[in-house]
Amino acid sequence: MTSQRPKARPEPDRDPAAIKAAIRVRAMGIGFDAIGFAPASLAPEAREHLQTFLEQGRHGDMGWMLEKVDRRGDPKTLWPGAESVIVLGQNYGPDGDPLAVLDQPDRGGISVYARHRDYHDIVKKRLKELGRWIAETYQIDIKVFVDTAPVMEKPLAARAGIGWQGKHTNLVSRELGSWLFLGEIFVALPLPPDAAEEDHCGQCQRCLDVCPTAAFPAPYQLDARRCISYLTIEHAGPIPRELRPLIGNRIYGCDDCLSVCPWNKFAQVTPHASLMARADLTAPRLADLAKLDDAAFRALFSGSPVKRLGRDRFIRNVLIAIGNSGQVELLEVVEGLLYDAAPVVRGTAVWALSRLAPATAQARRGGALEGEKDPAVLAEWAVTPML
């Protein structure tokens, strides 16, 4: 029996164009649906737009944006060794009309991306796999980023040719429509950049017109303080009273501006459904959601991005949907939440009850106010009309 020396592994082609082509093939093989390459820098307009957004206070109470504004505006402040950014996209296109739930007032509307397992888990796993392959194959340093890092993903994605930022400020792809998760790999190697994608919005402004809360002061400008996604996810306290009726039954995020984009005619149903599958969260019953305690909330949303919201903030959103529903059969569960341990829940329950049944709200006023000391809850009772 003879032994054979293992064949030496061939040296990879070190030409930057060849490296770029090999990375593209590998990325698509791993399961990404879009890839683009850009220099590790941002155009001055992107930084100026961010600065204006913050100076006008349109970030609301997302204080972390102010704390990391210098790092967000320049990729090299995140990692000085970065020469190129590889932007990856994963399609999460829905298999039906995302807005159909809005016609079911007894159900809660959850944003498409959150109806499945947490996309961070899947995208980050694939980013790390690709990054590890790049580092090992070409012996270069890399760093992986996905959503939670202060990276201006959408301007980088546009510069890398994946899409453009529409008038609603979200990324739009000519090939995949509006439904893309993004992640980035910074590499310490100059790679040939792709051509930046041009703006293809034209005269269309459907995304601006459909917004329930008028969160777009002008095309390409967003005031997060009026955005339902911000209000239901990022905002921690009571939601402003004047905006509550406009939220409808959206209990986690909002897909309206994404869904109406004409470029969605090229959107495709996600091929990753089997990886992202979990309990169906397309249109859960408000009656069931309102009864969740902390343990039940965590169990229901295990593996979902909704879990990061926390039970109290989520029930706040559910109560707003109930208050907008006209479903008087939900009175009992709302009444019970007048005595919830969380002030934000108690306060929103006051509003929901007064919307559904003003007379019942007045009947419960004395008992609910007994021992109540939270200023926000007291303020809700103070503006509840007396009959």
Side-chain angles (χ1 to χ4, degrees), residues 186-205:
F186 288 23
V187 296
L189 180 71
L191 295 172
D194 289 316
E197 181 62 276
E198 297 179 1
D199 188 321
H200 297 282
C201 287
Q203 298 302 309
C204 177
Q205 59 174 35

Side-chain angles (χ1 to χ4, degrees), residues 225-237:
R225 296 168 296 184
R226 298 188 65 87
C227 175
I228 293 175
S229 287
Y230 163 80
L231 292 168
T232 57
I233 299 174
E234 301 288 349
H235 183 62

Side-chain angles (χ1 to χ4, degrees), residues 15 35-36 93 157 174 186 203 223 268 303 320:
D15 175 67
I35 180 172
R174 285 194 291 177
F186 288 23
Q203 298 302 309
D223 188 339
Q268 305 165 23
I320 289 177

Side-chain angles (χ1 to χ4, degrees), residues 49 53 56-62 167-169 211 213-218 220-231 243:
H49 181 80
F53 174 80
Q56 294 176 340
R58 291 178 177 175
H59 60 294
D61 52 15
M62 294 184 288
K167 292 178 181 177
H168 52 12
T169 75
C211 180
T213 54
F216 302 106
Y220 308 103
Q221 296 182 30
L222 170 69
D223 188 339
R225 296 168 296 184
R226 298 188 65 87
C227 175
I228 293 175
S229 287
Y230 163 80
L231 292 168
L243 297 179

Side-chain angles (χ1 to χ4, degrees), residues 90-228:
Q90 181 174 291
N91 172 26
Y92 69 100
D95 59 1
D97 179 7
L99 304 185
V101 67
L102 302 183
D103 296 324
Q104 304 175 65
D106 63 327
R107 305 279 173 154
I110 294 177
S111 186
V112 169
Y113 85 90
R115 297 175 186 178
H116 308 287
R117 281 181 51 202
D118 195 337
Y119 72 89
H120 289 91
D121 298 338
I122 298 166
V123 175
K124 194 164 189 176
K125 180 179 178 181
R126 289 179 170 173
L127 283 171
K128 287 185 174 181
E129 180 182 347
L130 179 61
R132 187 165 49 248
W133 177 84
I134 294 170
E136 292 175 353
T137 302
Y138 298 105
Q139 298 298 301
I140 55 175
D141 292 332
I142 63 98
K143 287 192 181 296
V144 170
F145 298 94
V146 56
D147 195 35
T148 51
V151 177
M152 292 185 71
E153 292 190 309
K154 289 176 283 189
L156 279 172
R159 193 166 193 192
I162 287 182
W164 72 97
Q165 282 189 265
K167 292 178 181 177
H168 52 12
T169 75
N170 292 298
L171 194 76
V172 183
S173 163
R174 285 194 291 177
E175 290 77 29
L176 295 166
S178 301
W179 315 105
L180 274 179
F181 297 137
L182 296 173
E184 297 79 37
I185 299 176
F186 288 23
V187 296
L189 180 71
L191 295 172
D194 289 316
E197 181 62 276
E198 297 179 1
D199 188 321
H200 297 282
C201 287
Q203 298 302 309
C204 177
Q205 59 174 35
R206 293 184 195 178
C207 58
L208 309 185
D209 296 337
V210 78
C211 180
T213 54
F216 302 106
Y220 308 103
Q221 296 182 30
L222 170 69
D223 188 339
R225 296 168 296 184
R226 298 188 65 87
C227 175
I228 293 175

